[in-house]
Amino acid sequence: MRTQEEVTRTVEAYGDLVRRLCVLHLKNRQDTEDVFQTVFLKYLLYTGSFESEQHKKAWLVRVTVNACKDLLRSFLRKPTVPLELAEELAGSSDENREVLQAVLSLPPKYKDAVYLFYYEGYSAVEIAQILHKKENTIYTWLARGRELLRQQLGGEWE
């Protein structure tokens, strides 16, 4: 672990660079501050040594870019709607409301998979990562959920 003095010197020397990189990638002040803190926390905890100041600068740039990419890839950054509000957003169509009610009445594992897939637009691979399940499990849940919906809705739902 690095000393407080060493971290302070590095923040003073490279803080503007890290912030500029964050703003360039994230275009958001709050996310920029989050990544800024993450980068310098990683620097504080990094036990390796640097060959030169250029090596340290290159390391900070790489860590910053990776942290920005990680944040942008994060499932938390995808637009989501709480299930409670989904009915309101589904529109006034009775058919949409009926389908959404059927989806919400599924057993939890099928409901989560179907909702994330059809309403939020996640792929089966992404759902598997979110729910910490195997990809094939998600495909099975989607198939079983569709079948339950078909039975519930009289074969109208595709």
Side-chain angles (χ1 to χ4, degrees):
M1 205 161 108
R2 305 201 180 283
T3 66
Q4 180 67 32
E5 184 179 299
E6 188 177 355
V7 172
T8 301
R9 275 196 319 264
T10 302
V11 170
E12 288 171 359
Y14 300 110
D16 289 340
L17 170 68
V18 170
R19 273 200 178 88
R20 283 192 307 271
L21 283 169
C22 291
V23 169
L24 178 71
H25 283 87
L26 303 172
K27 299 169 183 62
N28 178 313
R29 184 175 179 199
Q30 291 81 12
D31 292 341
T32 295
E33 291 304 316
D34 288 344
V35 171
F36 182 86
Q37 290 176 5
T38 300
V39 168
F40 286 105
L41 179 62
K42 287 182 181 182
Y43 174 74
L44 173 72
L45 300 174
Y46 182 66
T47 57
S49 61
F50 298 106
E51 297 168 9
S52 64
E53 280 298 308
Q54 283 302 105
H55 182 220
K56 182 194 298 187
K57 182 178 177 182
W59 184 90
L60 287 167
V61 167
R62 176 57 29 213
V63 169
T64 303
V65 169
N66 287 341
C68 289
K69 286 180 180 180
D70 289 345
L71 183 67
L72 290 172
R73 252 192 319 257
S74 168
F75 78 91
L76 296 173
R77 294 201 37 106
K78 294 199 178 201
T80 59
V81 177
L83 285 175
E84 297 79 30
L85 297 177
E87 183 174 354
E88 294 173 22
L89 297 174
S92 61
S93 166
D94 288 338
E95 183 179 316
N96 285 346
R97 197 167 296 138
E98 183 182 355
V99 172
L100 182 60
Q101 285 295 345
V103 169
L104 294 176
S105 71
L106 291 171
K109 60 185 176 185
Y110 303 140
K111 173 177 61 178
D112 292 344
V114 169
Y115 180 79
L116 290 171
F117 188 81
Y118 289 104
Y119 287 87
E120 298 298 333
Y122 287 103
S123 69
V125 174
E126 292 170 320
I127 296 169
Q129 291 171 345
I130 292 168
L131 299 178
H132 303 290
K133 298 292 180 188
K134 293 184 180 180
E135 188 178 330
N136 286 335
T137 300
I138 301 303
Y139 285 120
T140 301
W141 288 356
L142 286 170
R144 290 178 183 167
R146 281 191 291 266
E147 184 56 36
L148 288 171
L149 288 171
R150 238 182 243 110
Q151 292 169 7
Q152 235 178 326
L153 299 171
E156 297 174 15
W157 195 76
E158 300 268 338

Coordinates of all heavy atoms in Angstrom, one line a residue, residues 102-103 106-107 109-111 113-114 118 138-152 157:
A102 N -50.1 -11.3 -17.1 CA -49.7 -12.7 -17.3 C -48.2 -12.9 -16.9 O -47.9 -13.8 -16.2 CB -50.1 -13.2 -18.6
V103 N -47.4 -12.0 -17.5 CA -46.0 -12.0 -17.2 C -45.7 -11.9 -15.7 O -44.9 -12.6 -15.1 CB -45.2 -11.0 -18.0 CG1 -43.7 -10.9 -17.5 CG2 -45.2 -11.3 -19.5
L106 N -46.3 -15.0 -13.5 CA -45.4 -16.2 -13.6 C -44.6 -16.4 -12.3 O -44.4 -15.5 -11.6 CB -44.4 -16.0 -14.8 CG -45.0 -15.9 -16.2 CD1 -43.9 -15.5 -17.2 CD2 -45.6 -17.3 -16.6
P107 N -44.1 -17.6 -12.1 CA -43.2 -17.9 -11.0 C -42.0 -17.0 -11.1 O -41.6 -16.6 -12.3 CB -42.8 -19.4 -11.2 CG -44.0 -20.0 -11.9 CD -44.5 -18.9 -12.9
K109 N -38.7 -17.0 -11.2 CA -37.6 -17.2 -12.1 C -38.0 -17.0 -13.5 O -37.2 -16.4 -14.3 CB -36.9 -18.6 -11.9 CG -37.8 -19.8 -12.1 CD -37.1 -21.1 -11.7 CE -38.0 -22.3 -11.8 NZ -37.3 -23.5 -11.4
Y110 N -39.2 -17.4 -13.9 CA -39.6 -17.2 -15.3 C -40.0 -15.8 -15.5 O -39.7 -15.2 -16.5 CB -40.8 -18.1 -15.6 CG -40.6 -19.6 -15.4 CD1 -41.6 -20.4 -14.8 CD2 -39.4 -20.2 -15.7 CE1 -41.4 -21.8 -14.6 CE2 -39.2 -21.5 -15.5 CZ -40.2 -22.3 -15.0 OH -39.9 -23.7 -14.8
K111 N -40.6 -15.2 -14.5 CA -41.0 -13.8 -14.6 C -39.8 -12.9 -14.8 O -39.8 -12.0 -15.7 CB -41.7 -13.3 -13.3 CG -42.1 -11.8 -13.3 CD -42.8 -11.4 -12.1 CE -42.1 -11.7 -10.8 NZ -42.8 -11.3 -9.6
A113 N -36.8 -13.7 -16.0 CA -36.2 -13.9 -17.3 C -37.0 -13.3 -18.5 O -36.5 -12.6 -19.3 CB -36.0 -15.4 -17.6
V114 N -38.3 -13.6 -18.4 CA -39.2 -13.0 -19.5 C -39.2 -11.5 -19.5 O -39.1 -10.9 -20.5 CB -40.6 -13.7 -19.4 CG1 -41.6 -12.9 -20.3 CG2 -40.6 -15.1 -19.7
Y118 N -37.9 -9.5 -22.7 CA -38.9 -8.8 -23.6 C -39.1 -7.4 -23.3 O -39.3 -6.5 -24.2 CB -40.2 -9.6 -23.6 CG -40.1 -10.9 -24.4 CD1 -40.0 -12.1 -23.7 CD2 -40.0 -10.9 -25.7 CE1 -39.9 -13.3 -24.3 CE2 -39.9 -12.1 -26.4 CZ -39.8 -13.3 -25.7 OH -39.7 -14.5 -26.4
I138 N -31.1 -19.9 -18.5 CA -32.0 -18.7 -18.9 C -32.8 -19.1 -20.2 O -34.0 -18.8 -20.2 CB -31.1 -17.5 -19.2 CG1 -30.3 -17.1 -18.0 CG2 -32.0 -16.3 -19.7 CD1 -31.2 -16.8 -16.7
Y139 N -32.2 -19.8 -21.1 CA -32.9 -20.2 -22.3 C -34.1 -21.2 -21.9 O -35.2 -21.1 -22.4 CB -32.0 -20.9 -23.3 CG -31.1 -20.0 -24.1 CD1 -29.8 -20.1 -24.0 CD2 -31.7 -19.0 -24.9 CE1 -28.9 -19.2 -24.8 CE2 -30.9 -18.1 -25.6 CZ -29.5 -18.2 -25.6 OH -28.7 -17.4 -26.3
T140 N -33.8 -22.0 -21.0 CA -34.9 -22.9 -20.5 C -36.0 -22.2 -19.8 O -37.2 -22.4 -20.0 CB -34.3 -24.0 -19.5 OG1 -33.2 -24.7 -20.2 CG2 -35.3 -24.9 -19.0
W141 N -35.6 -21.2 -18.9 CA -36.6 -20.4 -18.2 C -37.5 -19.6 -19.2 O -38.7 -19.5 -19.1 CB -36.0 -19.5 -17.2 CG -35.4 -20.1 -16.0 CD1 -35.5 -21.5 -15.7 CD2 -34.7 -19.5 -15.0 NE1 -34.9 -21.7 -14.5 CE2 -34.4 -20.5 -14.0 CE3 -34.3 -18.2 -14.7 CZ2 -33.6 -20.2 -12.9 CZ3 -33.6 -17.9 -13.6 CH2 -33.3 -18.9 -12.6
L142 N -36.8 -19.1 -20.3 CA -37.6 -18.3 -21.3 C -38.5 -19.2 -22.0 O -39.7 -18.9 -22.2 CB -36.6 -17.7 -22.3 CG -35.8 -16.5 -21.8 CD1 -34.7 -16.0 -22.7 CD2 -36.8 -15.3 -21.5
A143 N -38.1 -20.4 -22.4 CA -39.0 -21.3 -23.1 C -40.1 -21.8 -22.2 O -41.3 -21.8 -22.6 CB -38.2 -22.6 -23.5
R144 N -39.9 -22.1 -21.0 CA -40.9 -22.5 -20.0 C -41.9 -21.3 -19.7 O -43.1 -21.5 -19.6 CB -40.3 -23.1 -18.8 CG -39.7 -24.4 -19.0 CD -39.1 -25.0 -17.7 NE -38.4 -26.2 -18.0 CZ -37.5 -26.8 -17.2 NH1 -37.3 -26.3 -16.0 NH2 -37.0 -27.9 -17.5
G145 N -41.3 -20.1 -19.6 CA -42.1 -19.0 -19.3 C -43.0 -18.7 -20.5 O -44.2 -18.4 -20.3
R146 N -42.5 -18.8 -21.7 CA -43.4 -18.6 -22.9 C -44.5 -19.6 -23.0 O -45.6 -19.3 -23.3 CB -42.5 -18.7 -24.2 CG -41.7 -17.4 -24.5 CD -41.1 -17.4 -25.9 NE -40.0 -18.4 -26.0 CZ -38.7 -18.1 -25.8 NH1 -38.4 -16.9 -25.5 NH2 -37.8 -19.1 -25.9
E147 N -44.2 -20.8 -22.6 CA -45.2 -21.9 -22.7 C -46.3 -21.6 -21.6 O -47.5 -21.8 -21.9 CB -44.5 -23.3 -22.4 CG -45.5 -24.4 -22.5 CD -46.3 -24.5 -23.8 OE1 -45.7 -24.2 -24.9 OE2 -47.5 -24.8 -23.8
L148 N -45.9 -21.2 -20.4 CA -46.9 -20.9 -19.4 C -47.7 -19.7 -19.9 O -49.0 -19.7 -19.7 CB -46.2 -20.5 -18.1 CG -45.6 -21.7 -17.3 CD1 -44.8 -21.2 -16.1 CD2 -46.7 -22.6 -16.8
L149 N -47.1 -18.7 -20.5 CA -47.9 -17.6 -21.0 C -48.9 -18.0 -22.1 O -50.0 -17.5 -22.2 CB -47.0 -16.5 -21.5 CG -46.2 -15.7 -20.4 CD1 -45.1 -14.8 -21.1 CD2 -47.2 -14.9 -19.6
R150 N -48.4 -18.9 -23.0 CA -49.3 -19.4 -24.1 C -50.5 -20.1 -23.5 O -51.6 -19.9 -23.9 CB -48.5 -20.4 -24.9 CG -48.4 -20.0 -26.4 CD -47.7 -21.0 -27.2 NE -46.5 -20.3 -27.8 CZ -45.3 -20.6 -27.5 NH1 -45.0 -21.5 -26.6 NH2 -44.3 -19.9 -28.0
Q151 N -50.3 -20.9 -22.4 CA -51.4 -21.6 -21.8 C -52.3 -20.5 -21.1 O -53.5 -20.7 -21.2 CB -50.9 -22.5 -20.7 CG -50.2 -23.7 -21.3 CD -49.4 -24.6 -20.2 OE1 -49.6 -24.3 -19.1 NE2 -48.7 -25.5 -20.7
Q152 N -51.8 -19.6 -20.5 CA -52.5 -18.6 -19.7 C -53.3 -17.7 -20.7 O -54.5 -17.3 -20.4 CB -51.6 -17.7 -18.9 CG -51.9 -17.6 -17.5 CD -50.9 -16.7 -16.7 OE1 -49.7 -16.7 -17.1 NE2 -51.4 -16.0 -15.8
W157 N -50.0 -15.5 -27.3 CA -48.8 -14.8 -27.0 C -47.6 -15.4 -27.7 O -47.4 -16.6 -27.7 CB -48.5 -14.7 -25.5 CG -47.5 -13.8 -25.1 CD1 -47.6 -12.4 -25.1 CD2 -46.2 -14.1 -24.8 NE1 -46.5 -11.9 -24.7 CE2 -45.5 -12.8 -24.5 CE3 -45.4 -15.2 -24.6 CZ2 -44.2 -12.7 -24.1 CZ3 -44.1 -15.1 -24.2 CH2 -43.5 -13.9 -24.0

